[in-house]
Amino acid sequence: MSQDGEDHAMESKEGETNMAAWLLGIKTLKIQPYHLPPLGPHDVKVRVKALGICGSDIHHFKTMRCANFIVKKPMVIVHECAGVIEEVGSEVKSLDVGDCVALEPGISCRQCTLCKSGRYNLCPKMKFFGSPPTNGSLANKVVHPADLCYKLPENVSLEEGAMCEPLSVGVHACRRANVSPETNVLIMGAGPIGLVTLLTARAFGAPRIVITDVDDRRLSIAKSLGADKTVLVSTNIEDVSVDVGEVQKAMGSDIDVSFDCVGYNKTMSTALNATRSGGKVCLIGLAQSEMTAPLTPAAAREVDIIGIFRYRNTWPLSIELLRTGKIDVKPLITHRFGFSQKDINAAFETSAGGGNAIKVMFNL
């Protein structure tokens, strides 16, 4: 089953009109028909019930691009989603009609060296919901491979199911950095990804977590979610040395791992300088496609730089962390909207505006 625009131009076998939110231009969204491909033997049809807006969606909305991914034609937007199975393919044995599921949004080729080695998130032929040119999931229904749809326990809501996608970024990052009960963690940025990284690092056993941001409101939320210390930093690159001193003071001991959840020259420079010799810096945020950072001094102290791109094999653990209550993502959901033209416009403007908005959720 393919996820490209040509396949999605095909009529669904029921002939019903499936509606979706299409990105037509800068800050221009319109609900229009979205015709589903035929159901393959290993696919399921999902009625989408909950979707969250991601930072990448906002980049697409505001600029028609995110990093090197450029929107060149109308595209259905959004990728954080969960829903209810409406139909299963002839070979699907793991799911039944009526099951509530969280959807992993990326379909890899399953054939290349990276896929076969288990690093399928790096597949060069990845087709990822809402990442051009692949259509997303802000729609009434989608068709998706069954093995990328994960059944939710009864005590995990559909909204929480949609939150498995951003949570997976934190899980993948903490795995890559080997966060453990012996790891003191610094997090740069208290946006949604910084906050789920905070929750995940704590679930992985990190004994002390310091988080920074330029917004006091975000820091107060981070504090309420369990950050040991918060540090208000500036956006001025000339303040790096001051900020380094502040975060090291706040930690009170060595910083073993730093997560840059922003991705600017300033945040990466701060992380590299603040992390102890022999420590690790994980770059999660991709705000700049290129950056200037003090690599030579970091290399001389053997500070490892770890790239983080999406996730792999994270949904089962993310769901288990939610099921057991080791992580509670519900406080991150600050705004909810329905699925009308007025609602989608308001939701994206709310998310793009920042302020007290963390995770903006659609309920269909």
Side-chain angles (χ1 to χ4, degrees):
M1 192 270 294
S2 174
Q3 286 284 335
D4 61 26
E6 287 72 27
D7 281 353
H8 277 298
M10 300 171 67
E11 292 288 343
S12 63
K13 67 181 180 180
E14 293 88 351
E16 67 178 286
T17 302
N18 182 50
M19 304 302 287
W22 292 81
L23 179 64
L24 304 180
I26 290 176
K27 293 189 175 183
T28 304
L29 291 165
K30 187 175 181 181
I31 294 179
Q32 298 182 149
Y34 177 35
H35 302 296
L36 294 175
L39 193 72
H42 299 283
D43 297 335
V44 292
K45 181 180 290 184
V46 180
R47 178 169 289 279
V48 181
K49 302 299 289 184
L51 306 97
I53 297 178
C54 173
S56 63
D57 297 319
I58 296 303
H59 282 294
H60 291 139
F61 175 67
K62 293 170 69 173
T63 68
M64 297 292 281
R65 69 179 297 159
C66 182
N68 295 322
F69 297 94
I70 303 170
V71 182
K72 297 180 179 179
K73 62 179 182 178
M75 181 184 77
V76 178
I77 200 165
V78 180
H79 57 270
E80 302 176 1
C81 61
V84 180
I85 301 292
E86 283 209 341
E87 187 178 352
V88 299
S90 60
E91 298 298 319
V92 175
K93 309 299 182 186
S94 59
L95 295 169
D96 295 309
V97 172
D99 285 346
C100 294
V101 292
L103 282 66
E104 181 174 352
I107 304 173
S108 63
C109 77
R110 307 172 191 252
Q111 300 296 320
C112 69
T113 301
L114 287 164
C115 284
K116 289 182 176 181
S117 68
R119 305 188 75 175
Y120 66 87
N121 59 311
L122 304 178
C123 175
K125 296 181 179 180
M126 177 70 77
K127 294 176 180 177
F128 191 92
F129 275 158
S131 182
T134 306
N135 285 316
S137 54
L138 184 46
N140 298 130
K141 301 179 184 181
V142 295
V143 169
H144 206 53
D147 65 345
L148 295 175
C149 297
Y150 298 85
K151 187 174 179 179
L152 296 174
E154 289 186 2
N155 68 330
V156 176
S157 70
L158 287 162
E159 286 191 339
E160 292 172 288
M163 289 294 292
C164 283
E165 198 280 341
L167 179 57
S168 284
V169 177
V171 168
H172 182 52
C174 287
R175 280 177 172 171
R176 290 267 287 152
N178 294 318
V179 171
S180 75
E182 298 180 334
T183 310
N184 289 325
V185 170
L186 169 65
I187 298 172
M188 311 294 297
I193 295 300
L195 295 176
V196 293
T197 302
L198 160 65
L199 294 172
T200 308
R202 185 66 83 202
F204 275 47
R208 190 162 179 83
I209 303 172
V210 174
I211 190 165
T212 73
D213 203 276
V214 297
D215 188 332
D216 264 327
R217 290 172 294 184
R218 293 291 177 97
L219 291 177
S220 66
I221 294 168
K223 186 70 174 176
S224 71
L225 292 174
D228 295 290
K229 290 286 186 178
T230 63
V231 178
L232 184 68
V233 293
S234 80
T235 58
N236 190 340
I237 190 70
E238 296 179 1
D239 292 334
V240 166
S241 60
V242 173
D243 290 346
V244 167
E246 289 297 316
V247 296
Q248 289 176 332
K249 179 181 177 182
M251 184 64 75
S253 58
D254 284 342
I255 296 170
D256 301 303
V257 172
S258 293
F259 294 102
D260 182 357
C261 299
V262 185
Y264 283 118
N265 293 335
K266 168 74 170 9
T267 53
M268 195 61 177
S269 296
T270 302
L272 288 168
N273 284 312
T275 304
R276 68 166 173 85
S277 296
K280 301 172 184 175
V281 173
C282 294
L283 178 58
I284 303 176
L286 303 175
Q288 291 181 255
S289 57
E290 295 183 3
M291 63 172 66
T292 301
L295 295 181
T296 303
R301 296 191 299 113
E302 293 193 354
V303 176
D304 294 339
I305 299 174
I306 299 172
I308 304 297
F309 186 65
R310 294 175 180 157
Y311 33 68
R312 57 179 176 267
N313 302 313
T314 51
W315 258 254
L317 178 56
S318 295
I319 291 171
E320 182 65 7
L321 290 169
L322 295 173
R323 184 190 72 80
T324 58
K326 291 182 179 179
I327 287 181
D328 182 8
V329 293
K330 294 189 292 293
L332 300 182
I333 303 170
T334 55
H335 295 75
R336 292 174 173 86
F337 292 88
F339 186 57
S340 67
Q341 187 65 54
K342 181 179 179 181
D343 278 330
I344 63 169
N345 290 337
F348 272 85
E349 290 295 345
T350 298
S351 187
N356 64 345
I358 300 175
K359 183 56 63 178
V360 176
M361 187 74 63
F362 290 102
N363 293 129
L364 277 68

